Amino acid sequence: MTRFKTQLYINGQWRDASDGGTFDVLNPADETVLATVASGTVEDALACLDAAEAAFGPWAARSPRERGEVLRRAYDLFMDRIEEIARLITLENGKAGGDAMGEAKYAAEFFRWYAEEAVRSDGYLGMAPASGARLMVHQKPAGIAVLVTPWNYPAAMGTRKIGPALAAGCPVVIKPASETPLTMLALMPILEEAGVPPGLVNVLPSRASGAVVGAMLADARTRVVSFTGSTEVGRKLLHAAADNVIKPAMELGGNAPFIVCKDADIEAAAEGLMVAKMRNLGEACTAANRIYVHQDVEKPFVQSFVAKMAALKMGNGIEDGIDVGPLVNAETRDKVEFFVRDAVDKGAALELGGVRPNGAGYFFPPTVLTHVPDTAECLRDEIFGPVAAIQTFLDEEDVIRRANDTEYGLVAYVYCGDMRRGMALAERLEFGMIGLNRGLVSDPAAPFGGVKQSGLGREGGKDGLLEFQETQYISAEW
Ligand code: NAD
């Protein structure tokens, strides 16, 4: 038996899969098997819905304050065990210690933020203009929510959904990514201790993602599907959700532009790009993917940025002093390597890195490309790795057009000295979030989400709660 939680968590109990199936979770730093985890079946998925259905009424009937207090205790317990959780994130995802701790704190904050928001779900009272009837408007929990999360933030992408769902009064079934199910399973004892009743939060790791999620979306008891992952899978879930008209929240892919204007503080911009590109090793939907630097400042900017990238230390993220761990799996590493080769073949200049090391582990070094041609694949697709692709521009109209020329619209970054121009640029960018002189936009108190094919709905902030609520209006006379 391993030291990890490896079974399904259904109705507050640890269970094997109904057919006894399992799958392996690898450590991306050395490719060894970290744990063998139960692989949920359709039968198990329906058992999750049964448990969630039974938990729904009593939980929704609890006062908002009580629900908030359970979440607040979950935050405190999470913080007590934060080292352990961060370590587990590194083991299964590969990210270095600093990134893992950053994620763990961010993840815990969603419990604290929604503990506070649970008591701030407002309605209103009005009068019908013609009849004079009283219009009472309030929010009700939407019902059972199916949550599907990616591997790049094994804790935070889950808590960002569980926090608001529980605050709103909804039970959940969470299907974590098959690469990284251990962190979410490890959070269940914390939730239990915090007072989450059996059946309210169920965790269903499965290598049959399509079948188990599909079965839950085909069941009319499911009322919300909240997904974070690729646009391709998001589209499939939107189709599946349509049959039962299930409320969707979709956090999908990104292809973030990062614009450095001529009057920007070059040091600050290079530092900002380090965060926007290298946080989480570039394995983030928010990662700067297309970097546009004004031609007049290209040289000092590239010099400063390359020096910062060259100073990063690559290695097993579990060790001290490591900045860059391995990528999550061979497929992601191979894709990153392809992007570099493709760009160089088409004429890009390799300023740093680019060569994958020999030996075990899915490592790829910090890499900087300049003079990247427009035809390079890495400008169309998410790189999802530690590769910075830099281009130049002369004219702001041109850079806005190029930045907006994508089907994605999650986040854009602008570094600019003159804030009036910076604001004007920000407003013309077709993205759900803008980092203006900042390389980081994620914040539990802010509405995270994209436009166009980057998604539907928002997570975090006040808006995040609405994804798990339905508006009810009562027309009354007295
Ligand atoms: P993915 O879409 O392959 O998988 C996400 C989740 O969906 C996993 O749990 C997976 O098992 C499950 N899944 C896969 N196929 C499915 C199917 N047919 N039916 C139901 N579930 C299915 O994404 P990934 O590779 O894990 O994560 C990377 C992607 O996530 C990137 O595109 C990234 O931009 C995106 N992402 C977006 C955000 C955001 O907030 N917008 C945040 C993080 C990651």
Side-chain angles (χ1 to χ4, degrees):
M1 198 53 207
T2 63
R3 62 210 148 103
F4 305 111
K5 295 280 182 204
T6 56
Q7 289 173 295
L8 314 177
Y9 184 72
I10 305 176
N11 205 18
Q13 288 166 349
W14 296 99
R15 301 190 193 170
D16 288 331
S18 64
D19 66 357
T22 59
F23 64 96
D24 289 340
V25 176
L26 301 185
N27 179 343
D30 58 16
E31 303 177 38
T32 57
V33 175
L34 202 54
T36 298
V37 173
S39 179
T41 63
V42 166
E43 194 182 316
D44 297 319
L46 298 179
C48 288
L49 291 186
D50 293 342
E53 187 182 23
F56 181 31
W59 181 252
R62 291 226 205 155
S63 70
R65 175 71 76 204
E66 277 182 78
R67 297 199 295 258
E69 279 170 357
V70 169
L71 281 168
R72 176 64 208 212
R73 278 197 295 278
Y75 167 74
D76 290 337
L77 291 164
F78 193 130
M79 292 307 286
D80 288 347
R81 296 177 204 169
I82 197 153
E83 304 278 348
E84 198 185 309
I85 293 164
R87 195 181 148 78
L88 186 49
I89 292 172
T90 295
L91 284 175
E92 65 175 349
N93 167 279
K95 67 179 77 173
D99 277 331
M101 183 53 81
E103 176 185 350
K105 286 183 182 157
Y106 178 54
E109 281 298 335
F110 286 102
F111 288 158
R112 177 154 71 170
W113 174 261
Y114 284 105
E116 292 157 353
E117 283 303 289
V119 296
R120 310 206 198 297
S121 177
D122 299 330
Y124 59 89
L125 178 66
M127 192 179 275
S131 69
R134 297 302 197 283
L135 313 180
M136 292 183 282
V137 179
H138 70 145
Q139 298 295 332
K140 295 178 67 173
I144 298 175
V146 169
L147 317 178
V148 184
T149 55
W151 48 258
N152 61 347
Y153 289 92
M157 295 302 98
T159 60
R160 195 160 82 168
K161 300 178 191 300
I162 296 170
L166 266 49
C170 300
V172 304
V173 181
I174 179 160
K175 210 292 296 163
S178 310
E179 293 83 351
T180 57
L182 302 175
T183 305
M184 193 43 60
L185 292 170
L187 292 184
M188 292 307 111
I190 289 179
L191 293 186
E192 258 180 32
E193 214 178 302
V196 167
L200 190 65
V201 178
N202 305 278
V203 188
L204 186 72
S206 176
R207 87 192 139 191
S209 309
V212 298
V213 175
M216 290 191 282
L217 299 188
D219 191 309
R221 291 176 293 177
T222 300
R223 296 318 311 144
V224 177
V225 57
S226 177
F227 171 74
T228 299
S230 60
T231 298
E232 189 191 342
V233 174
R235 272 190 208 107
K236 284 187 196 163
L237 298 192
L238 279 170
H239 280 291
D243 282 343
N244 279 321
V245 194
I246 294 169
K247 184 172 164 138
M250 296 279 143
E251 296 292 348
L252 309 178
N255 182 356
F258 187 104
I259 300 170
V260 182
C261 298
K262 190 175 166 180
D263 64 345
D265 175 335
I266 297 302
E267 245 333 273
E271 202 47 62
L273 182 57
M274 287 301 289
V275 178
K277 178 76 257 179
M278 293 305 290
R279 191 169 70 105
N280 222 46
L281 206 61
E283 290 176 313
C285 51
T286 51
N289 208 63
R290 297 169 292 148
I291 300 151
Y292 303 111
V293 183
H294 193 280
Q295 203 167 297
D296 293 358
V297 294
E298 185 198 13
K299 211 169 159 197
F301 178 82
V302 170
Q303 214 168 28
S304 167
F305 180 65
V306 168
K308 292 179 199 304
M309 288 285 269
L312 297 177
K313 193 166 171 214
M314 186 168 73
N316 186 336
I318 213 75
E319 289 162 17
D320 286 343
I322 296 297
D323 305 299
V324 178
L327 291 160
V328 73
N329 54 26
E331 191 191 340
T332 304
R333 189 259 325 268
D334 293 350
K335 197 168 167 198
V336 170
E337 190 179 30
F338 160 76
F339 283 135
V340 174
R341 210 175 40 238
D342 168 75
V344 171
D345 285 352
K346 289 173 178 165
L350 186 63
E351 308 282 346
L352 181 76
V355 181
R356 136 189 178 183
N358 291 324
Y362 309 120
F363 292 95
F364 200 85
T367 296
V368 182
L369 298 165
T370 55
H371 304 287
V372 178
D374 285 339
T375 52
E377 296 289 339
C378 64
L379 302 178
R380 295 269 134 232
D381 209 344
E382 288 184 288
I383 300 171
F384 244 60
V387 176
I390 301 178
Q391 294 191 303
T392 55
F393 71 94
L394 264 177
D395 171 40
E396 269 173 27
E397 285 306 313
D398 174 51
V399 81
I400 291 173
R401 186 191 52 74
R402 284 158 75 192
N404 286 338
D405 182 21
T406 167
E407 71 267 29
Y408 295 110
L410 188 63
V411 60
Y413 305 90
V414 178
Y415 271 78
C416 192
D418 174 358
M419 278 300 274
R420 184 184 298 199
R421 235 185 42 249
M423 280 301 296
L425 262 171
E427 288 183 1
R428 291 183 63 196
L429 289 167
E430 295 161 1
F431 292 82
M433 302 177 287
I434 308 286
L436 184 51
N437 290 330
R438 272 181 65 80
L440 176 73
V441 293
S442 303
D443 192 312
F448 186 106
V451 300
K452 292 157 76 177
Q453 295 188 31
S454 286
L456 292 170
R458 293 293 180 269
E459 292 193 323
K462 288 203 155 303
D463 309 50
L465 199 59
L466 293 170
E467 304 294 338
F468 296 94
Q469 292 178 319
E470 292 289 3
T471 301
Q472 185 180 53
Y473 132 66
I474 301 170
S475 178
E477 242 172 75
W478 60 79

